[in-house]
Amino acid sequence: MLDGRARSITDAAKLVDMARESLSRALAKPHVQEHVRQRTDRLLKGTTLIRAAGRLDRLIDAQSENVAFRATELALGLNGYRPPQQGTTVQANVNVGWVIDLRTNADGAGQILGDSTVGGTIIDAEPVEQGGGLA
């Protein structure tokens, strides 16, 4: 399958004269998966990478302006040149929402605990008793 002679496990099993199920089980073993990973890595770093670079170079000169643009954008991106981000990014250290403390406290109102940057107003309220079930 790695050298392109088979497109499926069934085709590969026929090539090596194995049952499809046996080949499938063999491919699931960790040492076989590691071998496949290493072989794939070598292929990608070898002639496949050279061929891909050549194809990308030819696509930059494609008749279609869209194809040429996308190939150029990819080639530039792979070399560290990125287009500016669209939109505006704003970072603010703002906590939005409510902090509700439902604990009962013999000393009075609840407290906001944790990060000292959390601000807020403590609203003191009396607990409401429910009649024997969930509301």
Side-chain angles (χ1 to χ4, degrees):
M1 290 171 64
L2 287 171
D3 63 13
R5 290 186 291 158
R7 295 205 174 263
S8 67
I9 292 176
T10 303
D11 293 344
K14 287 177 187 174
L15 280 172
V16 295
D17 197 29
M18 282 180 77
R20 186 192 64 76
E21 294 81 8
S22 298
L23 180 58
S24 183
R25 277 192 301 275
L27 290 172
K29 293 181 179 179
H31 71 280
V32 175
Q33 289 180 351
E34 178 61 20
H35 175 74
V36 170
R37 188 197 63 74
Q38 288 176 2
R39 178 100 186 267
T40 302
D41 197 42
R42 279 194 305 271
L43 283 171
L44 290 176
K45 289 181 179 174
T47 58
T48 302
L49 185 59
I50 294 167
R51 290 177 56 220
R55 169 87 40 106
L56 181 60
D57 188 52
R58 287 190 304 278
L59 287 174
I60 290 172
D61 296 323
Q63 293 292 322
S64 165
E65 289 182 2
N66 185 41
V67 171
F69 172 76
R70 297 209 38 203
T72 302
E73 185 178 43
L74 176 60
L76 289 171
L78 290 171
N79 286 292
Y81 297 96
R82 305 266 189 257
Q85 293 288 330
Q86 295 292 328
T88 304
T89 303
V90 176
Q91 294 182 357
N93 189 13
V94 176
N95 294 316
V96 179
W98 295 87
V99 176
I100 301 174
D101 186 353
L102 299 175
R103 295 174 292 159
T104 57
N105 188 337
D107 297 332
Q111 301 176 35
I112 298 177
L113 302 173
D115 190 354
S116 62
T117 62
V118 175
T121 303
I122 297 175
I123 300 172
D124 201 7
E126 293 297 320
V128 176
E129 295 295 324
Q130 296 292 326
L134 296 175

